[in-house]
Amino acid sequence: MMIDIAFFCILAAVGWIDQRTMEIPDRLSSAVLLLAVADQLTGGGPALFSSVLGTCAVSVPMLLMTLAIPGAFGGGDIKLMAACGAFLGWRLALEAFFLAVLGGGVWGCWLLVSGKAGRKDHFAFGPFLCTGAAVSYLWGEKLLSWYLSLLP
């Protein structure tokens, strides 16, 4: 229970800081990683293999995309998703990223349509990553089951 509360508090801090500064402090990503380790040691969280795979499932593709397209993601976003992947496991980490891209895409479209930003402008993606991680942690398995039930 305390690990869960700490996870949400860190996500809230990351989202707030990134929105204001466009930077995610490494110490907060490290704190999420420490929570993932503590969760493993106390018998909570995803299976160890899922946790290890979760560390790479989203962060490695983000890193590769950033190497191919400079500025696609910031280093803080990549490190945050590595830590969240360890905490959530690979399935929920992928879902969290999907929700973040969906939310960030809607926000970006609104910024363009409203004239508040241009095509080359950047906005903080951390709040969307944090929201995706929180939603996935709370309702991820139910959302995933619902989505999979729609497939033939």
Side-chain angles (χ1 to χ4, degrees):
M1 178 75 160
M2 292 304 293
I3 290 175
D4 302 342
I5 293 169
F7 180 62
F8 291 120
C9 288
I10 293 168
L11 291 179
V14 167
W16 186 79
I17 290 169
D18 193 33
Q19 181 63 39
R20 293 182 158 266
T21 66
M22 297 275 293
E23 290 187 18
I24 298 173
D26 288 344
R27 66 185 179 278
L28 292 178
S29 294
S30 297
V32 172
L33 188 59
L34 288 174
L35 287 177
V37 170
D39 215 14
Q40 285 293 320
L41 293 175
T42 60
L48 181 59
F49 179 75
S50 179
S51 183
V52 171
L53 189 57
T55 302
C56 301
V58 175
S59 61
V60 170
M62 286 175 75
L63 175 62
L64 294 174
M65 182 179 276
T66 301
L67 292 173
I69 307 166
F73 296 102
D77 296 330
I78 296 167
K79 289 179 262 187
L80 176 66
M81 282 313 294
C84 285
F87 189 83
L88 297 170
W90 73 271
R91 288 170 39 127
L92 294 182
L94 288 172
E95 183 178 344
F97 186 68
F98 171 78
L99 293 171
V101 169
L102 187 65
V106 168
W107 179 251
C109 288
W110 183 83
L111 289 174
L112 288 172
V113 169
S114 67
K116 295 184 185 259
R119 290 176 36 137
K120 302 246 182 204
D121 291 332
H122 291 90
F123 60 88
F125 195 54
F128 298 99
L129 292 172
C130 293
T131 302
V135 169
S136 290
Y137 187 75
L138 292 171
W139 301 293
E141 292 298 334
K142 289 181 183 179
L143 283 171
L144 198 54
S145 294
W146 168 79
Y147 176 73
L148 293 175
S149 75
L150 299 176
L151 299 176

